[in-house]
Amino acid sequence: AQDKINRDIYSHVESLLESHNAGKYVKSRMRYEVKYEDDSLISLILDRGVWLCIGGRPSGHCFGLVYDKKTGNRLPLEHFLKITLDQLGSSYRDHVYNSQGQIIRSEDGKRPYKPSKISEEYYLLGNGGIALLYSPYALSWRADGDTTIRFNAQEVDYFNRKNREL
């Protein structure tokens, strides 16, 4: 299982390395952070940054990866959360966070945008919570970086009961 997980993670690293070596980027980097781990699951994010020009700002993208530690299989969002786009669109407002973990509120002069899709990128928060990952501009301004829509265990349970048939 560990080899399978490592091969999957390396495929992301290899893709970035190939693009970098082909001259698509002036500079690139990749970092990871374990967001949650227990005896059977590991949830992490890969944070990829690329510089398209000298002296420019990095353009980034985060990948959320959740694995079953016994099989090495990557687990899809539906394994943990069943939610429709309509439900997400009507409940996201008080759940959007910037890359520093601060909530984005309309009264702060910022406006989180309504999600146009259910992100396939996600990570586990622990205690039954889930964070859906979105690229810059998808939910907020670029300065907010990668943003998340976070649901606690009670909210996850609610959507899973409501959407049992999905």
Side-chain angles (χ1 to χ4, degrees):
Q2 182 178 357
D3 288 342
K4 190 174 182 179
I5 292 169
N6 286 335
R7 277 194 307 274
D8 187 57
I9 293 169
Y10 185 72
S11 70
H12 289 275
V13 175
E14 188 175 47
S15 173
L16 177 62
L17 186 60
E18 286 173 6
S19 295
H20 179 86
N21 288 340
K24 291 184 179 180
Y25 313 124
V26 172
K27 180 177 157 183
S28 61
R29 62 130 174 87
M30 185 171 285
R31 299 182 292 212
Y32 79 94
E33 180 182 352
V34 174
K35 298 303 258 180
Y36 175 78
E37 184 173 10
D38 64 20
D39 290 341
S40 59
L41 300 169
I42 185 164
S43 175
L44 54 100
I45 56 170
L46 295 179
D47 179 8
R48 182 189 77 171
V50 298
W51 285 256
L52 301 173
C53 62
I54 295 172
R57 290 183 176 199
S59 174
H61 181 74
C62 285
F63 301 91
L65 306 172
V66 179
Y67 298 98
D68 179 316
K69 288 169 61 174
K70 292 177 181 18
T71 66
N73 293 333
R74 193 180 322 171
L75 300 172
L77 175 64
E78 296 77 27
H79 186 83
F80 300 97
L81 175 65
K82 295 180 182 191
I83 190 169
T84 67
L85 184 57
D86 286 341
Q87 291 165 345
L88 182 62
S90 64
S91 62
Y92 76 99
R93 283 210 183 273
D94 293 326
H95 294 81
V96 180
Y97 291 78
N98 66 19
S99 59
Q100 281 73 48
Q102 301 162 326
I103 194 161
I104 300 171
R105 296 188 189 276
S106 334
E107 59 267 17
D108 295 336
K110 295 183 178 182
R111 187 186 75 147
Y113 307 124
K114 186 174 183 177
S116 60
K117 67 175 189 162
I118 299 171
S119 179
E120 295 177 19
E121 304 296 337
Y122 76 99
Y123 59 89
L124 303 177
L125 296 167
N127 297 320
I130 293 178
L132 305 179
L133 267 167
Y134 288 87
S135 298
Y137 297 113
L139 298 179
S140 187
W141 298 315
R142 184 175 192 261
D144 284 322
D146 288 298
T147 50
T148 55
I149 298 176
R150 299 180 186 182
F151 295 110
N152 64 34
Q154 183 179 8
E155 294 160 334
V156 169
D157 178 62
Y158 166 75
F159 287 121
N160 287 341
R161 283 185 288 112
K162 187 172 183 80
N163 300 311
R164 219 176 281 257
E165 303 301 318
L166 289 182

